[in-house]
Amino acid sequence: RYEEHEHNCYTYALAFINSVRAARGEQHISKSEFTEKFVIPQTRRASKYITLHQELTANEFYIVPLPQQENTA
């Protein structure tokens, strides 16, 4: 059953990761260590992109994909 702090999606995913790590002969990783090494860096990166996007759209810049370049081979 779901329990906010000890039995949730995050702990389920971490248990799976630790079972894979155990099968590889690697050490168990704690919730705080996993958060510090993997979750926080990705969250910071996403935050930078979100902030950049917000600033660009707030100042009436438009983001458009570049045209596809043709192969000249």
Side-chain angles (χ1 to χ4, degrees):
R1 294 194 151 215
Y2 176 83
E3 198 281 317
E4 184 176 353
H5 298 287
E6 296 299 323
H7 193 73
N8 54 47
C9 295
Y10 191 83
T11 57
Y12 177 80
L14 186 57
F16 174 77
I17 290 167
N18 278 323
S19 68
V20 171
R21 290 176 64 88
R24 292 179 169 181
E26 298 173 0
Q27 278 189 317
H28 174 89
I29 188 168
S30 70
K31 187 186 285 188
S32 61
E33 184 180 6
F34 180 78
T35 301
E36 187 176 314
K37 284 185 173 182
F38 299 102
V39 176
I40 291 174
Q42 296 301 323
T43 304
R44 284 188 181 132
R45 181 179 291 161
S47 175
K48 288 177 184 179
Y49 282 108
I50 291 167
T51 301
L52 176 61
H53 183 269
Q54 289 171 339
E55 288 295 319
L56 290 171
T57 56
N59 292 300
E60 298 185 17
F61 284 86
Y62 295 97
I63 301 168
V64 295
L66 294 174
Q68 293 288 330
Q69 293 187 4
E70 294 181 27
N71 289 336
T72 57

